[in-house]
Amino acid sequence: MSRRVLVASLPVVLSAAFLAAGASGSGAGPSAATVLPSASCGPVFYKGGGSPQFLVASDLPLQGAGRAQPLSMVKAIRFILEKQYKFTAGRYTIGYQSCDDSTAQQGGWAPEKCTANARAYANDRSVIGVIGTFNSGCAKLIIPILNRAPNGPLAMISPANTYPGLTHAAKGITEPGEPQKYYPTGKRNYVRVVATDDFQGPADALLIQQLKRKSVYILHDNQTYGKGVALAVQKAAKKLGIKALGFEAWDAKAASYEAVAARIKQSGAESVFLGGIVDNNGAKLVKDLRDGLGPKVLLVAPDGFTPFSAVAEAGSAAEGMYISVAGLPNEALGPRGKAFINAYKAYSRQKTVDPYAVYAAQAAQILFDAIARSNGTRPSVTAELFKTKVNGGILGTFRIDRNGDTTLKGITIYKMTGGEGKFDRTLYPSESLVK
């Protein structure tokens, strides 16, 4: 779906005065809001009285093989703002813009879009918070720019980033200088509501052990997220006594992965871990691996291989593949989580709800609550994010710790069955396996 078609499908109610204010670029804070550029962002979603005082933007990849997932997240944010918050956060009126950090050429997130978007958010003083990103590599570019934003660090909350180094160091996984290098002001402005890959990686290694495989060949797409989770699997596999017989990157632009499959077959590996995102030719990779390795070799991938519909493009080759997702399955959510799912289904007219739509909804609630508790300044909203304690929320009961991480650590495993991801189990890796 093109960006033009996408924004046209989003109904918007705006006053002429607001549009004029946005076009002029004048004003900031509670007296006026300035529209973010249409080159990356859709129109302002607002149906409240008068004009919105502040804007919240989401930064997600809306193009590529996995676009269905971010699009469902956009709908979830809109639902929360419209139906639960009525376009207000405390005494402030809030408008929302969905921004795209991907390009058609890249088929997913693009560094230049992430950087340009970040500068637009930072320089538009009416932007009071950002929901995103989906990809950790994009977050690495955006966080420091928002951290140095005019009028203080700009709050950012991610429903999906799992690379540990954005918030804390993880031995053998993160890079030197992380996470401090993302916060040049010395003040944190980024939090997330998903468990990190120093938990997801061990969960995937634990799954391999539980499925009685004694060796693994590890592939990654050489991006921040993909290589990070691959390193986490490698580290945990060693602790579990699982032999890692290979560790290499796959070329996202390759026409064939027959040679990769041949190397894995020669190694004798009983399982293969695919650390990366499905946008990076993941369906083709799965198909070629299955063709070359046969049905007995176990294929395991992290949440980058969602939505399941994108993996299903590999056809029968995807059957029996296991995919982990950082968080609880929808079926295990409490009363508020289930109530959200039922209401969101009616709002979005979707029969099933992607887990990341649920996480986007929770992230939106946390941000709007932080804005409501704030004094209307960027530093105040950021400070309130780090005071977050959720009791019986959409995702349950949890808090945001001093690093910006959630205290929820469950990792859910899905098995590809009939072209869909079916719940298999939820794993909680031990502290000894994570460290």
Side-chain angles (χ1 to χ4, degrees), residues 362-380:
Q362 183 68 85
Q365 284 187 341
I366 289 172
L367 179 58
F368 297 146
D369 287 345
I371 295 170
R373 297 193 304 267
S374 77
N375 63 12
T377 64
R378 287 177 168 181
S380 179

Side-chain angles (χ1 to χ4, degrees), residues 47-302:
K47 297 180 182 179
S51 303
Q53 297 166 311
F54 290 111
L55 293 176
V56 165
S58 65
D59 193 278
L60 301 166
L62 304 178
Q63 302 176 78
R67 67 184 181 276
Q69 211 162 30
L71 289 175
S72 71
M73 296 166 74
V74 169
K75 289 181 181 178
I77 296 167
R78 284 162 49 90
F79 169 81
I80 294 297
L81 180 59
E82 179 180 8
K83 298 301 183 181
Q84 295 189 357
Y85 286 78
K86 312 298 182 185
F87 299 97
T88 63
R91 62 184 183 274
Y92 308 110
T93 52
I94 306 294
Y96 165 59
Q97 283 188 265
S98 166
C99 302
D100 186 4
D101 60 32
S102 65
T103 63
Q105 182 180 13
Q106 188 72 19
W109 73 276
E112 65 273 17
K113 285 292 290 292
C114 298
T115 300
N117 285 0
R119 288 172 179 159
Y121 308 146
N123 294 327
D124 185 340
R125 300 190 182 195
S126 56
V127 176
I128 199 69
V130 176
I131 301 173
T133 59
F134 191 77
N135 302 98
S136 296
C138 185
K140 289 174 71 171
L141 300 174
I142 291 182
I143 294 170
I145 295 175
L146 301 192
N147 191 257
R148 296 189 300 264
N151 290 52
L154 178 56
M156 179 175 175
I157 181 167
S158 174
N161 296 154
T162 55
Y163 177 65
L166 299 175
T167 53
H168 64 271
K171 187 177 180 181
I173 302 173
T174 54
E175 301 172 1
E178 290 180 336
Q180 289 80 9
K181 65 183 181 181
Y182 303 121
Y183 306 97
T185 66
K187 297 178 180 180
R188 297 290 184 104
N189 62 303
Y190 169 86
V191 306
R192 51 182 156 194
V193 295
V194 288
T196 49
D197 289 331
D198 44 350
F199 286 86
Q200 183 170 203
D204 287 324
L206 191 58
L207 173 70
I208 292 170
Q209 183 191 56
Q210 291 180 356
L211 296 176
K212 303 187 184 306
R213 298 321 200 263
K214 297 181 179 180
S215 58
V216 62
Y217 200 104
I218 302 172
L219 300 176
H220 63 87
D221 63 3
N222 212 28
Q223 291 189 358
T224 297
Y225 159 74
K227 190 172 183 179
V229 71
L231 287 168
V233 169
Q234 183 183 54
K235 178 181 173 182
K238 183 177 180 180
K239 291 183 179 181
L240 292 171
I242 300 170
K243 295 180 180 179
L245 301 180
F247 189 95
E248 66 173 276
W250 82 77
D251 179 2
K253 300 185 183 302
S256 169
Y257 298 101
E258 292 179 7
V260 177
R263 287 194 294 274
I264 296 172
K265 187 172 184 178
Q266 186 175 20
S267 76
E270 297 176 351
S271 63
V272 181
F273 179 77
L274 313 177
I277 58 176
V278 72
D279 287 357
N280 285 332
N281 216 8
K284 175 63 174 173
L285 177 64
V286 169
K287 188 176 186 305
D288 285 359
L289 289 180
R290 185 58 73 205
D291 287 345
L293 299 174
K296 293 185 179 180
V297 174
L298 176 70
L299 299 184
V300 178

Side-chain angles (χ1 to χ4, degrees), residues 272-346:
V272 181
F273 179 77
L274 313 177
I277 58 176
V278 72
D279 287 357
N280 285 332
N281 216 8
K284 175 63 174 173
L285 177 64
V286 169
K287 188 176 186 305
D288 285 359
L289 289 180
R290 185 58 73 205
D291 287 345
L293 299 174
K296 293 185 179 180
V297 174
L298 176 70
L299 299 184
V300 178
D303 51 4
F305 273 71
T306 58
F308 302 124
S309 59
V311 181
E313 291 181 10
S316 61
E319 287 293 292
M321 179 178 177
Y322 289 84
I323 299 172
S324 60
V325 172
L328 296 177
N330 292 348
E331 297 83 355
L333 297 176
R336 289 187 183 176
K338 290 176 180 175
F340 163 74
I341 287 173
N342 290 333
Y344 176 71
K345 282 182 179 179

